[in-house]
Amino acid sequence: MEPKETALATWAWMWTYRLQAGNVDLVRLKSSADDLIGASASPAEWLLDTAVARSHSDALASLGQCTGSPDPVAGLHLLVAEWRFVLESDPSAAEHIARVLYSISMDIEELPVEAANEMACFSDALELARTGIFGNYDEQVSALLDFLRRWS
């Protein structure tokens, strides 16, 4: 696969998880898609569909049509850097970010086992702490933030 195809597939992969995490809006995605379309002599149909998506679900469906192979580890580093800033400014985003990290940990085989295991645990740990069953919620948010700092 050509590096350009991998980069485009990584772009689609990252935007899929950005939308799932809820920390971006559709306008930003469409603007980014427009930039890629402008730089391409023959943009892929899924990219054109992404640029005109009317809803998050339309955008996710379009992004899902990308056939390339992303570099999810490189994409993860970029995503967690964004999510670190989100979490630092809005601690209430912790559980949502943790759920998306869980999903990523199940999707990426290339992740180091330690990272995947840690990512998979945040969602449950936060929920248990929030409900008072086990642990301290603020400590769990801090642990998530520490992970995001290490990976960004």
Side-chain angles (χ1 to χ4, degrees):
M1 174 166 298
E2 292 182 27
K4 183 178 178 180
E5 291 176 13
T6 299
L8 193 57
T10 301
W11 178 91
W13 181 89
M14 288 176 53
W15 276 101
T16 297
Y17 283 108
R18 282 176 176 145
L19 289 171
Q20 289 177 359
N23 63 319
V24 296
D25 61 25
L26 197 55
V27 172
R28 186 172 161 207
L29 166 61
K30 291 166 66 169
S31 175
S32 183
D34 284 340
D35 290 344
L36 289 174
I37 291 166
S40 175
S42 58
E45 186 174 331
W46 68 265
L47 185 57
L48 296 169
D49 291 343
T50 300
V52 297
R54 293 179 175 251
S55 67
H56 278 76
S57 60
D58 288 347
L60 287 169
S62 298
L63 291 167
Q65 297 302 310
C66 178
T67 57
S69 296
D71 180 348
V73 175
L76 179 63
H77 284 288
L78 297 170
L79 287 174
V80 297
E82 291 176 13
W83 293 340
R84 177 176 55 103
F85 290 115
V86 169
L87 188 57
E88 287 173 339
S89 64
D90 181 12
S92 70
E95 289 185 65
H96 199 69
I97 291 169
R99 282 191 295 275
V100 177
L101 283 174
Y102 174 82
S103 179
I104 291 172
S105 76
M106 297 295 119
D107 291 347
I108 303 177
E109 295 175 6
E110 298 89 348
L111 280 176
V113 173
E114 305 82 31
N117 289 344
E118 194 172 0
M119 290 167 63
C121 292
F122 287 122
S123 183
D124 287 342
L126 285 164
E127 184 176 347
L128 289 170
R130 179 180 44 78
T131 58
I133 295 173
F134 183 78
N136 178 286
Y137 190 82
D138 291 336
E139 289 175 5
Q140 296 304 321
V141 171
S142 291
L144 174 57
L145 190 54
D146 288 343
F147 173 84
L148 297 175
R149 286 182 181 132
R150 286 192 317 272
W151 271 82
S152 59

